Amino acid sequence: MKKVILTLVAVFAFGFANAQDLKSKKGENYLPETGDWAISFNADGIFEYVGNSFNGNTNNDAPSVDYIRNNAFVGKKFISEKNAYRVVANLGFGSTTVTNPNGASTDEVKSNGFDLAFGLGKEWRKGKTRLQGFYGADALITASSDKNEITTTDATTGTFISSVENKSGLALGLGVQGFIGAEYFIFPKFAIGAQYTYRVGFDVQGKSETTAQVGTAPSTTIEGGKASSFGIGNVGIASMNLTLHF
Protein backbone atom coordinates (compact mmCIF):
# COMPACT_ATOMS: atom_id res chain seq x y z
CA MET A 1 0.00 0.00 0.00
CA LYS A 2 2.93 2.36 0.66
CA LYS A 3 4.06 2.04 -2.96
CA VAL A 4 0.50 2.64 -4.14
CA ILE A 5 0.17 5.84 -2.12
CA LEU A 6 3.55 7.14 -3.29
CA THR A 7 2.53 6.54 -6.91
CA LEU A 8 -0.67 8.51 -6.42
CA VAL A 9 1.17 11.39 -4.69
CA ALA A 10 3.56 11.63 -7.62
CA VAL A 11 0.70 11.83 -10.11
CA PHE A 12 -1.10 14.52 -8.07
CA ALA A 13 2.10 16.56 -7.77
CA PHE A 14 2.66 16.35 -11.52
CA GLY A 15 -0.79 17.74 -12.20
CA PHE A 16 -0.74 20.74 -9.87
CA ALA A 17 0.99 22.95 -12.45
CA ASN A 18 -2.08 22.83 -14.70
CA ALA A 19 -4.70 22.53 -11.96
CA GLN A 20 -6.58 25.62 -13.12
CA ASP A 21 -7.09 24.38 -16.71
CA LEU A 22 -10.66 23.07 -16.60
CA LYS A 23 -10.95 22.57 -20.38
CA SER A 24 -8.73 20.70 -22.78
CA LYS A 25 -7.27 22.20 -25.95
CA LYS A 26 -10.26 20.69 -27.78
CA GLY A 27 -12.67 22.52 -25.47
CA GLU A 28 -13.69 19.41 -23.48
CA ASN A 29 -14.61 19.86 -19.82
CA TYR A 30 -12.37 18.01 -17.36
CA LEU A 31 -14.88 17.97 -14.49
CA PRO A 32 -18.24 16.15 -14.25
CA GLU A 33 -21.37 18.07 -15.24
CA THR A 34 -25.04 17.84 -14.33
CA GLY A 35 -26.53 14.75 -15.95
CA ASP A 36 -23.22 12.89 -16.33
CA TRP A 37 -22.92 9.20 -15.54
CA ALA A 38 -19.74 7.70 -14.10
CA ILE A 39 -18.29 4.31 -13.24
CA SER A 40 -15.52 3.85 -10.69
CA PHE A 41 -13.52 0.72 -9.96
CA ASN A 42 -10.68 -0.28 -7.65
CA ALA A 43 -7.22 0.06 -9.20
CA ASP A 44 -4.87 -0.92 -6.35
CA GLY A 45 -3.31 -3.70 -8.41
CA ILE A 46 -2.66 -1.45 -11.40
CA PHE A 47 -0.91 1.25 -9.38
CA GLU A 48 1.12 -1.26 -7.39
CA TYR A 49 2.30 -2.85 -10.63
CA VAL A 50 3.26 0.56 -12.07
CA GLY A 51 5.09 1.47 -8.85
CA ASN A 52 6.98 -1.83 -8.82
CA SER A 53 8.09 -1.33 -12.43
CA PHE A 54 10.35 1.51 -11.22
CA ASN A 55 11.93 -0.32 -8.30
CA GLY A 56 14.36 -2.49 -10.27
CA ASN A 57 12.49 -5.66 -9.36
CA THR A 58 12.09 -7.91 -12.41
CA ASN A 59 9.76 -10.27 -10.56
CA ASN A 60 6.65 -8.08 -10.55
CA ASP A 61 3.25 -9.71 -10.73
CA ALA A 62 0.72 -8.43 -13.24
CA PRO A 63 -2.38 -6.66 -11.88
CA SER A 64 -5.14 -8.95 -10.67
CA VAL A 65 -8.70 -8.53 -9.47
CA ASP A 66 -9.68 -10.22 -6.22
CA TYR A 67 -13.21 -10.89 -5.14
CA ILE A 68 -12.99 -8.97 -1.87
CA ARG A 69 -15.55 -6.29 -1.19
CA ASN A 70 -13.34 -3.23 -1.46
CA ASN A 71 -12.99 -4.01 -5.18
CA ALA A 72 -16.69 -3.25 -5.80
CA PHE A 73 -17.75 -1.16 -8.77
CA VAL A 74 -19.47 2.15 -8.14
CA GLY A 75 -21.90 3.76 -10.58
CA LYS A 76 -22.80 7.44 -10.26
CA LYS A 77 -25.48 9.76 -11.61
CA PHE A 78 -24.65 13.47 -11.20
CA ILE A 79 -27.72 15.51 -10.25
CA SER A 80 -25.50 18.62 -10.17
CA GLU A 81 -21.83 19.39 -10.62
CA LYS A 82 -21.28 18.80 -6.89
CA ASN A 83 -23.75 16.02 -6.04
CA ALA A 84 -24.23 12.48 -7.28
CA TYR A 85 -26.32 9.42 -6.43
CA ARG A 86 -24.31 6.20 -6.13
CA VAL A 87 -24.95 2.51 -6.72
CA VAL A 88 -22.39 0.13 -5.22
CA ALA A 89 -22.29 -3.42 -6.57
CA ASN A 90 -19.96 -6.38 -6.18
CA LEU A 91 -20.42 -9.98 -7.31
CA GLY A 92 -17.29 -11.97 -6.61
CA PHE A 93 -16.42 -15.65 -6.69
CA GLY A 94 -13.15 -17.37 -5.87
CA SER A 95 -12.04 -20.99 -6.30
CA THR A 96 -8.65 -22.67 -5.87
CA THR A 97 -7.30 -26.23 -5.88
CA VAL A 98 -3.83 -27.00 -4.49
CA THR A 99 -2.12 -30.41 -4.30
CA ASN A 100 0.47 -30.87 -1.53
CA PRO A 101 2.69 -34.01 -1.45
CA ASN A 102 3.04 -35.21 2.14
CA GLY A 103 5.40 -38.17 2.18
CA ALA A 104 3.41 -41.38 1.60
CA SER A 105 0.19 -39.40 1.09
CA THR A 106 -1.08 -36.46 -0.93
CA ASP A 107 -3.35 -33.67 0.30
CA GLU A 108 -5.68 -31.96 -2.17
CA VAL A 109 -7.02 -28.65 -0.81
CA LYS A 110 -10.08 -27.13 -2.49
CA SER A 111 -11.38 -23.71 -1.47
CA ASN A 112 -14.22 -21.67 -2.88
CA GLY A 113 -16.45 -18.83 -1.80
CA PHE A 114 -18.44 -15.81 -2.81
CA ASP A 115 -18.86 -12.24 -1.62
CA LEU A 116 -21.81 -10.09 -2.66
CA ALA A 117 -22.52 -6.45 -1.90
CA PHE A 118 -25.14 -3.97 -3.04
CA GLY A 119 -25.70 -0.44 -1.85
CA LEU A 120 -27.23 2.95 -2.53
CA GLY A 121 -25.76 6.25 -1.46
CA LYS A 122 -25.00 9.88 -2.13
CA GLU A 123 -21.80 11.78 -2.81
CA TRP A 124 -20.88 15.44 -2.25
CA ARG A 125 -17.91 17.10 -3.92
CA LYS A 126 -15.65 20.09 -3.14
CA GLY A 127 -13.09 21.96 -5.21
CA LYS A 128 -12.88 24.34 -8.15
CA THR A 129 -9.84 22.84 -9.90
CA ARG A 130 -9.05 19.47 -11.43
CA LEU A 131 -8.24 18.25 -7.92
CA GLN A 132 -11.61 17.39 -6.34
CA GLY A 133 -12.48 16.20 -2.85
CA PHE A 134 -15.53 14.03 -2.19
CA TYR A 135 -17.38 12.49 0.74
CA GLY A 136 -20.68 10.79 1.51
CA ALA A 137 -22.29 7.55 2.67
CA ASP A 138 -23.76 4.31 1.28
CA ALA A 139 -26.35 1.96 2.76
CA LEU A 140 -25.14 -1.60 2.15
CA ILE A 141 -26.51 -5.15 2.03
CA THR A 142 -23.85 -7.88 2.03
CA ALA A 143 -23.68 -11.68 1.82
CA SER A 144 -20.75 -14.08 1.83
CA SER A 145 -19.87 -17.74 2.30
CA ASP A 146 -16.86 -20.01 1.86
CA LYS A 147 -15.97 -23.69 1.90
CA ASN A 148 -12.67 -25.54 2.40
CA GLU A 149 -12.10 -29.27 1.79
CA ILE A 150 -8.94 -31.32 2.37
CA THR A 151 -8.84 -34.80 0.79
CA THR A 152 -5.94 -37.14 1.63
CA THR A 153 -5.06 -40.04 -0.68
CA ASP A 154 -2.27 -42.63 -0.92
CA ALA A 155 0.57 -41.08 -2.93
CA THR A 156 1.28 -44.33 -4.78
CA THR A 157 -2.12 -45.91 -5.42
CA GLY A 158 -4.41 -42.88 -5.14
CA THR A 159 -6.57 -44.74 -2.61
CA PHE A 160 -8.80 -42.52 -0.48
CA ILE A 161 -7.59 -42.13 3.12
CA SER A 162 -9.60 -39.30 4.69
CA SER A 163 -11.32 -35.98 4.09
CA VAL A 164 -12.38 -32.93 6.10
CA GLU A 165 -14.82 -30.32 4.77
CA ASN A 166 -15.50 -27.01 6.51
CA LYS A 167 -18.43 -24.78 5.52
CA SER A 168 -18.61 -21.31 7.03
CA GLY A 169 -22.36 -20.83 6.80
CA LEU A 170 -24.07 -17.90 5.11
CA ALA A 171 -23.12 -14.46 6.45
CA LEU A 172 -25.56 -11.57 5.95
CA GLY A 173 -25.03 -7.95 6.81
CA LEU A 174 -26.74 -4.56 6.86
CA GLY A 175 -24.70 -1.43 7.32
CA VAL A 176 -23.79 2.14 6.51
CA GLN A 177 -20.45 2.95 4.94
CA GLY A 178 -19.03 6.44 5.16
CA PHE A 179 -16.33 7.46 2.70
CA ILE A 180 -14.01 10.39 2.06
CA GLY A 181 -11.38 10.89 -0.61
CA ALA A 182 -9.91 12.96 -3.42
CA GLU A 183 -9.33 12.53 -7.13
CA TYR A 184 -7.44 14.33 -9.87
CA PHE A 185 -8.70 14.60 -13.46
CA ILE A 186 -5.69 13.77 -15.61
CA PHE A 187 -7.80 13.77 -18.80
CA PRO A 188 -11.27 15.18 -19.57
CA LYS A 189 -13.78 13.13 -17.53
CA PHE A 190 -11.05 10.65 -16.49
CA ALA A 191 -9.86 10.74 -12.88
CA ILE A 192 -7.60 8.81 -10.54
CA GLY A 193 -8.19 9.02 -6.81
CA ALA A 194 -7.94 7.51 -3.37
CA GLN A 195 -10.62 7.03 -0.72
CA TYR A 196 -10.98 5.84 2.85
CA THR A 197 -14.10 3.98 4.01
CA TYR A 198 -15.52 3.31 7.46
CA ARG A 199 -18.42 0.90 7.99
CA VAL A 200 -20.84 0.40 10.86
CA GLY A 201 -23.32 -2.45 10.59
CA PHE A 202 -25.20 -5.48 11.86
CA ASP A 203 -24.00 -8.94 10.75
CA VAL A 204 -25.48 -12.42 11.14
CA GLN A 205 -23.42 -15.59 10.66
CA GLY A 206 -25.25 -18.84 9.84
CA LYS A 207 -24.37 -22.27 11.25
CA SER A 208 -21.02 -23.67 10.20
CA GLU A 209 -20.52 -27.36 9.41
CA THR A 210 -17.53 -29.68 9.62
CA THR A 211 -17.83 -33.06 7.88
CA ALA A 212 -15.10 -35.68 8.31
CA GLN A 213 -14.60 -39.17 6.88
CA VAL A 214 -11.85 -41.74 7.43
CA GLY A 215 -11.49 -44.70 5.08
CA THR A 216 -14.75 -46.53 4.37
CA ALA A 217 -16.35 -45.51 7.67
CA PRO A 218 -19.50 -43.34 7.51
CA SER A 219 -18.88 -39.62 7.53
CA THR A 220 -19.68 -37.52 10.60
CA THR A 221 -20.95 -33.94 10.63
CA ILE A 222 -20.62 -31.44 13.46
CA GLU A 223 -22.63 -28.21 13.35
CA GLY A 224 -21.36 -24.96 14.77
CA GLY A 225 -23.49 -22.28 16.35
CA LYS A 226 -24.99 -19.15 14.86
CA ALA A 227 -23.60 -15.72 15.63
CA SER A 228 -24.57 -12.08 15.30
CA SER A 229 -22.74 -8.84 15.92
CA PHE A 230 -23.22 -5.10 15.78
CA GLY A 231 -20.26 -2.82 15.41
CA ILE A 232 -17.52 -1.63 13.13
CA GLY A 233 -16.38 -3.74 10.21
CA ASN A 234 -14.08 -3.20 7.23
CA VAL A 235 -12.53 -0.28 9.10
CA GLY A 236 -9.76 1.73 7.53
CA ILE A 237 -9.97 0.38 4.00
CA ALA A 238 -7.88 2.68 1.84
CA SER A 239 -8.22 2.10 -1.89
CA MET A 240 -7.25 3.72 -5.17
CA ASN A 241 -9.76 4.16 -7.96
CA LEU A 242 -10.12 4.98 -11.63
CA THR A 243 -13.30 6.85 -12.58
CA LEU A 244 -14.71 7.37 -16.06
CA HIS A 245 -17.42 9.97 -16.72
CA PHE A 246 -19.64 10.08 -19.79
Side-chain angles (χ1 to χ4, degrees), residues 136-157:
D138 303 312
L140 294 173
I141 300 174
T142 63
S144 63
S145 181
D146 60 78
K147 182 175 69 173
N148 177 275
E149 182 180 9
I150 302 175
T151 301
T152 303
T153 57
D154 187 281
T156 303
T157 64

Side-chain angles (χ1 to χ4, degrees), residues 61-82:
D61 294 329
S64 62
V65 177
D66 300 323
Y67 70 98
I68 57 177
R69 188 170 301 145
N70 62 309
N71 282 341
F73 289 86
V74 178
K76 303 178 185 181
K77 170 65 175 180
F78 282 83
I79 56 175
S80 74
E81 295 179 354
K82 298 297 183 182

Side-chain angles (χ1 to χ4, degrees), residues 114-209:
F114 70 88
D115 190 354
L116 312 177
F118 179 79
L120 298 174
K122 191 172 182 180
E123 175 180 300
W124 288 265
R125 305 179 68 82
K126 298 285 290 183
K128 297 180 180 180
T129 67
R130 285 158 59 180
L131 179 61
Q132 298 273 296
F134 60 88
Y135 60 94
D138 303 312
L140 294 173
I141 300 174
T142 63
S144 63
S145 181
D146 60 78
K147 182 175 69 173
N148 177 275
E149 182 180 9
I150 302 175
T151 301
T152 303
T153 57
D154 187 281
T156 303
T157 64
T159 304
F160 175 83
I161 297 176
S162 64
S163 67
V164 178
E165 180 184 72
N166 296 300
K167 296 180 180 179
S168 68
L170 181 63
L172 299 173
L174 293 173
V176 176
Q177 172 182 269
F179 60 88
I180 186 170
E183 59 185 10
Y184 183 78
F185 285 80
I186 56 176
F187 303 115
K189 304 298 180 75
F190 182 94
I192 61 172
Q195 73 171 16
Y196 183 89
T197 61
Y198 192 97
R199 176 182 176 268
V200 176
F202 178 75
D203 298 282
V204 176
Q205 179 70 53
K207 288 183 178 180
S208 61
E209 284 186 357

